[in-house]
């Protein structure tokens, strides 16, 4: 059951309509602040979805506040302008008054799935560990701001997934999300790819082509692997960030583009700046909000949840058998690994295990052999110095005693120590004679 918040001067009357339609609503008027986690985005709201009356004064502030925590459905007397205003400010949907049971049922069922999956993670970004919860908080904050975002983290930690989530939760979500795989664009194609070209600008240009930035107008551009780009690329991107304008090859005028930039890298860009490999001015323009994604080994408590998710995702590929889960032994082996390839590695392991397992449960034998090597090395740690010395002494004394036929004085002489000294050692080390 979803918890519905209705924010309207007519909240009381509307509550009964919601109740009749089978929902559990709470009403508030626009002045009431304490009903939600309003103004304190870090606090999890107890509501799943809000309905906001935009015929009432003060709805804008309330919308900005609420949309950070839940989908907000705006409603008003029929007005296209009001609907556009609300959607521009980040409302997820719009309904006309008078509200009806059918309209409510329809809109709520549309959001139900989204809201329920979000309770266990941010869209498909799974995890309940404290470190990933902190990342969710940053995603929400980044989503509602217009600032550029730099996502850093090791390979396979989910940087692209985060970039998409930020876009999806931003007011730009209805517009394009364009990924630019920076490493894949050679300098010779850079301008035509990013900015496009005008018909006739060079041999073979027999049509006008929009560039990637132009296509993303109003939306989000994701520069993936930004750490790998050439100096020329850096200058071109910097200019777009500074001026908000592009010029097509062969074009006669600047074209305004309105894009929000999210960039990602697995290298240390600050260090690259110090070495002179990356422009510092570009770094600061990109790094307005920094989101660092922790490696999987720092949040191993998320592994069982992720494994469950990946089993669900890939089990459908087996037509001959229903794969239900993973044995606790196999999960234990996964938990003892450090996953240098992060979540991508874990997903590959599960996908592979599902394809080859002969049982409805993933077993240790379905896991790749290197998983076990990691286990052996953690099971047999290098002995500590003191333990090694004790073991050596024990062995030496036992063998001297054996040679002397159990005679302590002779054994002591052969070891080059006094009889009393040997007696104490035999007692301390618990050697049987
Ligand atoms: N928190 C998560 N929950 C579920 N799946 C995840 C999560 N994070 C990453 N994944 C999955 O792991 C894989 C790798 O994620 P992604 O491509 O976003 O990583 P990346 O950081 O961009 O890696 P690279 O630097 O190698 O490009 C994807 O299949 C993605 O769906
Ligand atoms: Mg990536």
């Amino acid at each position: 059951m979803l918890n519905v918040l209705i924010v309207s001067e007519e909240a009381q009357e509307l509550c009964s309509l919601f109740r009749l339609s089978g929902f559990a609503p709470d009403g508030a008027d626009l002045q009431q602040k304490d009903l939600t986690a309003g103004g304190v985005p870090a606090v999890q709201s107890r509501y799943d979805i809000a309905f906001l009356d935009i015929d009432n004064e003060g709805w804008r502030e309330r919308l900005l506040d609420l949309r950070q925590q839940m989908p907000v459905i705006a409603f008003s007397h029929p007005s296209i302008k009001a609907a556009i205003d609300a959607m521009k400010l980040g409302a997820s949907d719009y309904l006309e008054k008078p509200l009806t049971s059918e309209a409510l049922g329809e809109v709520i069922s549309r959001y139900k799935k989204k809201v329920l999956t979000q309770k266990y993670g941010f869209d498909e970004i799974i995890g309940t560990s404290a470190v990933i919860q902190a990342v969710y908080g940053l995603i929400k904050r980044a989503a509602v701001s217009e600032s550029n975002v730099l996502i850093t983290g090791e390979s396979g930690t989910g940087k692209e997934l985060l970039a998409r989530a930020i876009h999806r939760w931003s007011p730009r979500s209805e517009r394009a999300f364009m990924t630019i795989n920076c490493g894949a664009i050679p300098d010779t194609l850079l301008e035509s790819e990013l900015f496009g070209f005008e018909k006739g600008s060079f041999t073979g240009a027999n049509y006008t082509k929009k560039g990637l930035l132009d296509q993303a107008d109003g939306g989000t551009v994701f520069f993936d692997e930004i750490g790998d780009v050439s100096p020329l690329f850096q200058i071109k991107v910097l200019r777009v960030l500074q001026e908000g304008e592009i010029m097509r090859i062969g074009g006669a005028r600047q074209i305004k583009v309105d894009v929000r930039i999210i960039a990602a890298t697995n290298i240390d860009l600050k260090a690259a700046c110090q070495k002179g490999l990356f422009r510092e001015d570009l770094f600061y323009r990109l790094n307005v909000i920094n989101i660092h994604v922790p490696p999987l080994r720092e949040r191993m408590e998320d592994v069982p949840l992720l494994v469950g998710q990946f089993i669900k995702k890939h089990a459908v590929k087996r037509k001959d058998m229903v794969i239900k889960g993973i044995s606790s032994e196999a999960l234990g082996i996964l938990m003892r690994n450090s996953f240098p390839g992060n979540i991508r590695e874990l997903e590959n392991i599960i996908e592979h295990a599902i394809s080859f397992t002969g049982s409805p449960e993933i077993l240790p034998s379905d896991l790749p052999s290197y998983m076990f090597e990691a286990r052996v090395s953690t099971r047999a740690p290098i002995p500590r110095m003191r333990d090694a010395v004790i073991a050596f002494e024990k062995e030496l004394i036992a063998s001297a005693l054996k040679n002397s036929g159990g005679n302590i004085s002779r054994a002591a002489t052969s070891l080059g120590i006094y009889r009393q000294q040997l007696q104490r050692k035999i007692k301390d080390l618990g050697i049987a004679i």
Side-chain angles (χ1 to χ4, degrees), residues 124-126 155-161 306 343-344 347:
E124 72 274 50
I125 307 164
I126 309 291
S155 190
T157 46
K159 295 186 293 296
E160 181 163 356
L161 214 57
L306 285 163
I343 298 181
R344 181 178 294 121
E347 182 166 0

Side-chain angles (χ1 to χ4, degrees), residues 306-360:
L306 285 163
V307 168
Q309 167 82 0
F310 295 144
I311 291 175
K312 249 187 265 157
K313 179 170 164 190
H314 296 290
V316 291
K317 293 181 187 156
R318 283 290 290 257
K319 305 291 174 215
D320 57 331
M321 197 191 291
V322 181
I323 311 290
K324 293 207 178 80
I326 183 164
S327 74
S328 53
E329 213 191 341
L331 185 61
I333 290 163
L334 292 176
M335 294 293 284
R336 282 194 285 274
N337 276 267
S338 60
F339 297 101
N342 291 299
I343 298 181
R344 181 178 294 121
E345 182 182 359
L346 179 62
E347 182 166 0
N348 286 345
I349 289 170
I350 299 298
E351 188 178 2
H352 183 269
I354 285 174
S355 316
F356 292 101
T357 187
S359 102

Side-chain angles (χ1 to χ4, degrees), residues 43-289:
V43 178
Q44 197 69 40
S45 165
R46 61 193 172 94
Y47 297 103
D48 298 309
I49 189 166
F51 285 78
L52 176 67
D53 189 335
I54 59 171
D55 285 332
N56 299 160
E57 289 287 309
W59 67 267
R60 287 188 171 74
E61 296 72 28
R62 205 60 199 265
L63 175 56
L64 293 175
D65 188 17
L66 288 170
R67 70 167 197 196
Q68 299 191 36
Q69 304 160 52
M70 63 194 98
V72 180
I73 316 298
F75 63 99
S76 71
H77 291 298
S79 152
I80 292 175
K81 186 182 171 308
I84 292 174
D85 279 355
M87 299 299 274
K88 265 193 186 158
L89 277 183
S92 302
D93 236 308
Y94 171 81
L95 293 178
E96 289 182 352
K97 285 182 186 173
L99 297 180
T100 62
S101 279
E102 297 83 70
L104 291 181
E106 199 264 326
V107 80
I108 288 185
S109 68
R110 204 152 6 109
Y111 283 90
K112 201 166 180 174
K113 193 164 155 265
K114 202 167 167 183
V115 167
L116 291 181
T117 47
Q118 199 199 336
K119 280 190 176 169
Y120 300 100
F122 213 97
D123 292 347
E124 72 274 50
I125 307 164
I126 309 291
T128 54
S129 60
V131 275
I132 206 73
Q133 291 291 334
V135 169
Y136 293 161
L138 288 173
I139 299 176
K140 288 188 185 180
R141 240 175 290 159
V144 295
S145 96
E146 278 288 297
S147 306
N148 294 335
V149 183
L150 180 66
I151 305 176
T152 53
E154 290 177 15
S155 190
T157 46
K159 295 186 293 296
E160 181 163 356
L161 214 57
L162 290 196
R164 288 179 185 280
I166 293 172
H167 172 73
R168 205 162 35 246
W169 286 84
S170 77
R172 295 172 177 263
S173 62
E174 300 296 315
R175 310 299 290 271
F177 176 89
M178 301 290 305
T179 297
I180 299 182
N181 193 342
C182 299
I185 305 180
D187 276 357
T188 45
L189 292 180
L190 194 58
E191 287 189 61
S192 78
E193 288 291 310
L194 292 185
F195 310 138
F197 50 78
E198 295 289 347
K199 184 176 177 179
S201 55
F202 53 87
T203 327
N206 38 20
Y207 58 97
T208 293
K209 183 189 162 226
K210 276 188 170 187
L212 290 166
L213 290 168
D214 211 349
Q215 291 173 43
D217 195 24
T220 306
V221 174
F222 176 49
F223 284 104
D224 201 5
E225 315 292 355
I226 191 78
D228 300 340
V229 302
S230 68
L232 179 69
F233 197 119
Q234 294 177 32
I235 293 175
K236 298 281 177 199
V237 173
L238 181 65
R239 209 165 289 157
V240 176
L241 290 183
Q242 281 168 342
E243 286 151 27
E245 286 180 345
I246 57 164
M247 179 126 80
R248 293 196 188 126
I249 298 175
R253 62 188 174 92
Q254 298 279 352
I255 303 168
K256 276 232 163 297
V257 287
D258 164 30
V259 289
R260 126 90 81 106
I261 308 279
I262 304 178
T265 179
N266 55 17
I267 71 161
D268 182 348
L269 271 194
K270 233 188 185 145
C273 288
Q274 273 152 17
K275 285 188 204 144
L277 299 171
F278 201 84
R279 297 182 65 104
E280 207 159 10
D281 42 7
L282 179 57
F283 171 71
Y284 285 113
R285 288 237 172 214
L286 294 173
N287 195 41
V288 180
I289 297 178

